[in-house]
Amino acid sequence: MDKLLITGGKRLSGDISISGAKNAALPILCAGLLTGDTVHLSNVPLLQDVATILKILRQIGLRVEQDGDRIAMNGGAIDKLEAPYELVRTMRASILVLGPLLARFGEAKVSLPGGCAIGSRPVDQHIKGLQAMGAEVHIEAGYIHAKAKKLKGTRIVTDMITVTGTENLLMAATLAEGETILENAAREPEVTDLANLLVAMGAKITGIGTDRLVIQGVDALHGASHKVIADRIETGTFLCAVAASGGDVTLTNARSDILDVALDKLREAGAVITTGADWIRVQMAARPKAVSFRTTEYPGFPTDMQAQFMALNCIAEGGSRVTETIFENRFMHVQELNRLGAAIDIDGHTAIVQGVERLVGAPVMATDLRASASLVIAGLAAQGETLVDRIYHLDRGYDRMEVKLSGVGADIRRVKQ
Ligand code: EPU
């Protein structure tokens, strides 16, 4: 199992190019199931999660040609309407094949994802929405079996805001009969990116970027070309790394307009941030100041940035309160950060962080994707060596993170075992 060995205390300077967004690429790849034509994608990140979804899509019969960050996919010969447990259990986003398969072929069998390190994460809202569109759904032997001759448009109000739930129902609605209204829809930029691709494929969607998506079903979708949006979480992660280590780094191929709250928090922490149309520069000269926040749905503070900002708060001047409202168990990094000398207490859904002058490197264990990123940030800021174990979590969602960080002067390398 690979590990990352980090020697902390290096200032970071130079440029990092941001990859396409994992959480946009995953639904967008599944949208290839909606048409018999070819969909051309660019800026697809090179990640384990992308490899996993491609494996599932290929098993289903999607033809995929990959050349670096470019993918051409053709859904003209789909012959297996199933996503098996062995793959779904490794990545919950596999549930995103359910809506497209059911809408185009009238049938799908997808394994229930099962438990997850950050919370129970049920998919009841995906099922509720498809049932409202007329699907017959039953769960048997760990699988969701869904059938519908033709999905029918209707008004769906999800109990809570769900990102992949919105994406699944949106994709299903593009081929349903009549009008579907998705109320309480997620407004995350990744949902918008998917919706933009679907429109390019011939879908009729209004309200894109709002919490009310209105979809007029069409008989068929066609091929299109699309560039995946920049990864705002990868962007935010590197911004936190620079804020924690000190330095001057410009992130290229980045979007500042989808990171407002995180950028405001970094400024509050003392970073100087300047932005252009497709770049963000961060300069940090002093010890960060502690910043408190509460995670919420977009455009609020992203839960996917909570752990990275917590790492920053660990070495900040002052105390902070970090409240997690999206997932019930997303504080697994706390005990590991404390092993590096951080002073964090948990009180229910709030972590109370007292900034310390310095962290000291130690072996730590990654528990989920964003927790791993927080340990890397802490390791970069700590004195001495930090060895981050179980970095397969990191490889799921970051495109060569250690290569990008060593390119700006970090002392970080992958240790193969
Ligand atoms: N929920 C339900 N029932 C459902 C769906 C969601 O109870 O049917 C609950 C969840 O348990 C959670 C809340 O609703 O408490 C929100 O979950 P959501 O469905 O929005 O999360 P998701 O779609 O499974 C996506 C991202 C996550 C990100 C969350 C929140 C993808 C592939 N994943 O997950 O990304 O944290 O939205 O923004 O888009 C990550 O990249 O590290 C990651 C975990």
Side-chain angles (χ1 to χ4, degrees), residues 15-272:
D15 292 355
I16 298 178
S17 174
I18 296 302
S19 300
K22 165 178 86 80
N23 289 347
L26 296 175
I28 279 173
L29 287 164
C30 295
L33 298 173
L34 286 165
T35 175
D37 291 349
T38 302
V39 175
H40 296 271
L41 302 175
S42 59
N43 208 30
V44 180
L46 300 169
L47 311 168
Q48 190 51 47
D49 273 7
V50 166
T52 304
I53 201 79
L54 287 178
K55 201 165 176 188
I56 294 176
L57 293 170
R58 282 189 168 113
Q59 279 194 8
I60 288 172
L62 193 76
R63 286 191 298 249
V64 180
E65 281 172 32
Q66 192 170 12
D67 177 15
D69 72 334
R70 292 177 175 273
I71 284 182
M73 47 183 185
N74 181 287
I78 285 166
D79 55 1
K80 193 158 181 270
L81 309 174
E82 186 178 331
Y85 177 63
E86 301 77 68
L87 293 171
V88 176
R89 74 183 173 137
T90 66
M91 191 184 67
R92 305 181 55 80
S94 322
I95 190 76
L96 285 165
V97 304
L98 179 61
L101 284 180
L102 183 61
R104 182 157 163 233
F105 301 100
E107 202 178 329
K109 179 180 168 194
V110 178
S111 169
L112 268 173
C116 171
I118 62 177
S120 65
R121 303 181 76 182
V123 291
D124 55 304
Q125 299 302 306
H126 303 233
I127 294 172
K128 166 180 151 170
L130 294 172
Q131 282 173 327
M133 294 169 86
E136 272 175 43
V137 182
H138 74 276
I139 313 259
E140 199 181 298
Y143 277 80
I144 304 167
H145 297 254
K147 270 192 181 163
K149 261 209 180 83
K150 181 87 181 157
L151 290 173
K152 296 204 172 28
T154 185
R155 178 168 169 269
I156 301 167
V157 189
T158 47
D159 299 6
M160 79 289 293
I161 300 173
T162 154
V163 174
T164 48
T166 301
E167 292 164 345
N168 233 340
L169 299 175
L170 174 63
M171 288 191 278
T174 59
L175 293 179
E177 197 178 298
E179 181 179 84
T180 304
I181 301 175
L182 297 180
E183 306 270 12
N184 208 19
R187 290 181 285 165
E188 268 64 7
E190 294 76 20
V191 178
T192 295
D193 203 35
L194 169 67
N196 288 337
L197 165 70
L198 294 171
V199 168
M201 291 168 71
K204 294 197 166 26
I205 308 170
T206 56
I208 293 173
T210 75
D211 62 359
R212 186 170 194 268
L213 295 169
V214 181
I215 305 107
Q216 304 292 340
V218 294
D219 287 339
L221 296 178
H222 51 70
S225 294
H226 183 79
K227 181 180 176 191
V228 176
I229 193 174
D231 196 316
R232 65 194 165 104
I233 307 301
E234 185 196 24
T235 307
T237 301
F238 288 131
L239 292 172
C240 283
V242 179
S245 308
D248 182 352
V249 171
T250 300
L251 304 177
T252 57
N253 302 317
R255 287 261 306 260
S256 60
D257 57 322
I258 50 175
L259 255 178
D260 290 303
V261 177
L263 293 181
D264 287 348
K265 284 288 159 196
L266 284 164
R267 289 189 177 106
E268 197 183 320
V272 176

